[in-house]
Amino acid sequence: MFDRLKRITIYVGNLGSGKTEVAVNTALGLLKLGKETALVDLDIINPYFRARLVRKQLEDMGLKVVSPAGRLSFADLPAVSPAVKGVVENVEMTGVFDVGGDDVGAVALGQYRELLEGRDFQMIFVINTCRPFTRDPEGIIRYLDGIQEASGIRAHGLVNNANLGGETDLDTVLNGFSVVSRVAARIGLPLVFTAVKRDLAEEVRLALGGEAGVLPLDKFMKAPWDP
Amino acid sequence: MAKILMKGNEAIGEGAVRAGCRYFFGYPITPQSELPHYLAKRLPEVGGLYLQAESEVASINMVFGAAGAGARVMTSSSGPGISLMQEGISYLAGAELPCVIVNMIRGGPGLGNIAPAQSDYFQATRGGGHGDYRVLVLAPSSVQEIIDLMQDAFDLADKYRNPVMLAGDGVLGQMMEPVILDDEIKPPSLPEKSWAATGRMGRDRKNLINSLYIVPENCEIHNLELGRKYAAMEESEQRWEDYHTEGAEMVLVAFGTAARVCKAVVDMFREEGRPVGLLRPITLWPFPWKRVSALADSVRCFLTVEMNMGQMVEDIRLAVNGKRPVRFYGRVGGMLPVARDVYREALKILDGGAD
């Protein structure tokens, strides 16, 4: 699945679409392939449940984590790390960007538009069809347009991340796949892969057939009472 | 029926819309900003009005106006913003106006931080502003419960003509859980509000919305009437959830996010066959002292777990009335209690003697 990705993968999507989990798991997957990988936390929107909260855990696994450091990591300020530029420019480095939710979050990405021009990158739109405003193709396309406009960057592909948290089952994922496929056909973008919690991944892979990419997810953004 | 994945803050918005709320006035503050963000999109879809005011003081006074005109109306904020609203909340209570106020509590005092806390318990349950008044306070602990309680919040506000507060925290607002929603949104059915200032409509008297009682005798009568209303709320509206309290030797008491952590603690004890339970207050005011008082006859001790320096513990001690020891465990400043730590604390008390 990872051979479908460029050197730099930028995940955008609406608030709560699961970008962070998809980004963390993508970065760890690339790392396992032996690539020097940086996870770039560009989330200026949500101070809860964002990648920097598990920074130490990810760094211990060998990932480079680029996010505002120290006191700023707890703030709801639109601060990004100056190290982001280094990840884009270093051709030896693989980068996975986690951009904050909605068009508002995508504004933070816009400042790198010129820097990214001509480089080996792709912007991927993560979709959870179980979220309130992205349940049908019309809503999804409206959100995608807003994000493209705010960032000034065109999306290159879509990810199906349909889930109901702990209550996700095969139907949830397949329904999402069907909706995202319709969006893909309508706007002429590829459905790059389907992300799904690890214990369902094999079942999903069988149901979707050999061609469809599947990214098994391990959960990093946990509630305080999660085991 | 559809099952969708919602953040707590979004669920407050959707729950309000489904309860017939069509007006929202507020000012952004973390960790509740997803709520105004959601309603800014959602209210126009149902013919409602979303307005970002210039401040929290303006917001609460806009709520006063809409409530006075008989509308179902809501505002929301967090700690510092709720403090700014206190004058207006006192005026709403004084003028007997129904409305819903959401406080997604953050770390304090002062500017504090944007992390989750329960340190506004005193402010919420003691009135908060000036004068003798109470606000009915609901404390959900899951996203589905938020949806369900929003209907009750608006109904109770109308029933008692009194502000109702929904008290949560950042974790509850930000976390996502599946919720079940009806496909259809019923048109709001509001109780008749013969007191609302909507024009004279042929009546022989003007409806005035006011909290000014300049003659002390009249103001005393007004206070006594309010007092009877609060007594009726204490009598009829105490709500709680029992979680394995049957035969419990020790009962943990916690609300909201802390209660979620405590459920995990109770499960750890029950797995070992130790009789530990949880009492989760759903109304913080009126505090469910009836249930606490009854439990005090059978349990050996209580342990209250809060995300503050010990606030609800005072209500528990009042309800227990010296019959059993009441111990306290808290995390503060935006830190969360960890199940393993609460378990250890409870074990220490159980094995070492509660007294």
Side-chain angles (χ1 to χ4, degrees):
Chain A
M1 195 220 80
F2 295 109
D3 52 2
R4 303 178 187 195
L5 301 179
K6 309 248 180 188
R7 182 173 71 82
I8 290 172
T9 304
I10 300 168
Y11 288 117
V12 293
N14 86 320
L15 190 71
S17 57
K19 295 172 301 294
T20 300
E21 298 286 13
V22 170
V24 169
N25 281 276
T26 302
L28 290 173
L30 290 163
L31 189 69
K32 277 198 197 112
L33 295 180
K35 298 183 179 186
E36 194 186 353
T37 307
L39 176 71
V40 177
D41 177 1
L42 272 190
D43 191 343
I44 59 161
I45 296 297
N46 187 352
Y48 287 73
F49 303 110
R50 56 184 170 185
R52 65 194 70 167
L53 299 175
V54 288
R55 182 182 187 130
K56 171 120 199 353
Q57 186 187 354
L58 297 176
E59 283 174 346
D60 289 348
M61 294 165 94
L63 210 57
K64 183 180 161 77
V65 179
V66 176
S67 69
R71 313 170 53 208
L72 278 182
S73 66
F74 299 104
D76 50 351
L77 294 170
V80 293
S81 165
V84 178
K85 198 163 171 252
V87 177
V88 178
E89 286 176 337
N90 182 355
V91 291
E92 303 299 315
M93 176 87 78
T94 306
V96 179
F97 283 48
D98 174 19
V99 181
D102 295 1
D103 48 350
V104 202
V107 170
L109 177 64
Q111 64 184 301
Y112 302 108
R113 186 170 53 89
E114 280 177 28
L115 184 70
L116 284 163
E117 236 163 68
R119 295 187 195 266
D120 186 30
F121 86 99
Q122 58 188 349
M123 184 169 97
I124 297 180
F125 187 58
V126 180
I127 302 159
N128 179 0
T129 50
C130 300
R131 293 278 293 142
F133 294 112
T134 50
R135 296 169 69 195
D136 52 35
E138 291 70 33
I140 294 168
I141 291 168
R142 204 176 307 131
Y143 261 96
L144 176 58
D145 286 346
I147 286 170
Q148 292 185 138
E149 197 177 315
S151 63
I153 300 171
R154 306 290 302 173
H156 302 85
L158 309 175
V159 163
N160 166 33
N161 186 38
N163 76 88
L164 285 167
E167 294 183 28
T168 311
D169 60 19
L170 184 62
D171 275 350
T172 318
V173 182
L174 297 186
N175 288 340
F177 185 83
S178 140
V179 175
V180 177
S181 299
R182 267 187 281 151
V183 175
R186 196 186 297 181
I187 60 178
L189 288 182
L191 196 172
V192 187
F193 61 85
T194 289
V196 60
K197 57 181 179 174
R198 187 170 291 280
D199 56 8
L200 262 183
E202 206 40 54
E203 222 179 315
V204 167
R205 203 171 271 141
L206 282 172
L208 293 180
E211 288 301 296
V214 174
L215 175 71
L217 296 178
D218 295 312
K219 195 176 174 191
F220 283 84
M221 301 293 113
K222 291 183 176 175
W225 49 85
D226 278 346
Chain B
M1 297 288 237
K3 199 182 254 189
I4 63 173
L5 191 66
M6 289 194 110
K7 279 180 182 281
N9 284 333
E10 297 165 342
I12 297 171
E14 188 58 34
V17 166
R18 283 160 190 264
C21 172
R22 292 293 178 270
Y23 299 90
F24 178 92
F25 308 103
Y27 188 81
I29 183 170
T30 309
Q32 61 79 58
S33 293
E34 293 81 8
L35 168 55
H37 196 79
Y38 185 88
L39 285 175
K41 279 202 207 71
R42 193 72 177 90
L43 277 173
E45 289 178 4
V46 292
L49 174 85
Y50 163 89
L51 185 73
Q52 181 176 318
E54 70 269 33
S55 73
E56 289 86 350
V57 176
S59 310
I60 196 71
N61 284 290
M62 290 175 182
V63 168
F64 188 102
R72 282 205 157 167
V73 56
M74 177 166 88
T75 185
S76 74
S77 190
S78 180
I82 296 290
S83 293
L84 277 169
M85 290 183 187
Q86 290 303 332
E87 183 202 36
I89 297 173
S90 171
Y91 275 54
L92 280 150
E96 295 192 78
L97 290 177
C99 68
V100 174
I101 300 154
V102 176
N103 184 6
M104 299 311 269
I105 307 172
R106 52 188 256 171
L111 196 49
N113 59 32
I114 57 178
Q118 298 180 328
S119 42
D120 301 353
Y121 179 91
F122 281 154
Q123 186 195 48
T125 58
R126 267 59 185 168
H130 60 283
D132 253 324
Y133 75 94
R134 298 286 195 170
V135 169
L136 199 148
V137 186
L138 298 168
S141 78
S142 74
V143 181
Q144 182 68 55
E145 192 181 24
I146 287 175
I147 294 270
D148 301 338
L149 282 184
M150 286 313 289
Q151 179 71 50
D152 296 344
F154 283 97
D155 290 346
L156 287 166
D158 278 344
K159 179 178 174 189
Y160 292 102
R161 287 183 59 187
N162 202 68
V164 169
M165 180 174 280
L166 189 91
D169 64 66
V171 168
L172 208 54
Q174 304 282 343
M175 70 181 190
M176 291 197 290
E177 287 182 329
V179 295
I180 294 170
L181 291 174
D182 287 334
D183 293 331
E184 234 182 307
I185 300 186
K186 293 182 216 87
S189 66
L190 266 55
E192 200 197 335
K193 296 180 178 178
S194 57
W195 47 264
T198 51
R200 192 147 161 181
M201 319 276 260
R203 280 188 310 266
D204 57 355
R205 258 171 11 110
K206 281 185 270 194
N207 279 349
L208 285 177
I209 305 292
N210 199 352
S211 65
L212 176 69
Y213 291 82
I214 203 151
V215 179
E217 283 84 350
N218 293 346
C219 199
E220 184 177 48
I221 291 168
H222 177 53
N223 269 282
L224 292 173
E225 278 170 0
L226 288 179
R228 277 192 285 277
K229 190 167 81 174
Y230 300 135
M233 286 156 86
E234 277 211 84
E235 184 51 40
S236 313
E237 306 302 344
Q238 296 181 28
R239 291 193 196 187
W240 64 85
E241 182 200 359
D242 275 289
Y243 186 69
H244 292 309
T245 51
E246 69 287 347
E249 188 183 348
M250 172 190 268
V251 164
L252 307 176
V253 188
F255 67 94
T257 292
R260 292 291 287 264
V261 175
C262 285
K263 278 193 177 173
V265 176
V266 168
D267 291 345
M268 288 158 81
F269 275 111
R270 290 280 164 173
E271 245 168 59
E272 296 166 5
R274 297 204 68 158
V276 171
L278 166 71
L279 177 74
R280 178 173 74 86
I282 297 171
T283 50
L284 302 185
W285 196 89
F287 184 75
W289 56 263
K290 289 183 192 175
R291 183 62 190 144
V292 174
S293 170
L295 281 169
D297 291 331
S298 60
V299 309
R300 213 178 96 205
C301 60
F302 293 89
L303 172 61
T304 162
V305 179
E306 302 175 56
M307 285 144 61
N308 57 45
M309 289 295 286
Q311 300 192 14
M312 182 174 68
V313 64
E314 294 190 1
D315 285 331
I316 299 164
R317 287 193 174 129
L318 279 171
V320 171
N321 202 15
K323 280 193 268 188
R324 305 286 173 206
V326 178
R327 304 284 284 266
F328 167 77
Y329 178 83
R331 292 299 300 269
V332 288
M335 297 301 289
L336 290 159
V338 177
R340 182 54 54 184
D341 295 342
V342 177
Y343 171 85
R344 262 192 231 113
E345 184 72 17
L347 200 61
K348 211 163 60 186
I349 296 166
L350 276 171
D351 291 347
D355 318 290

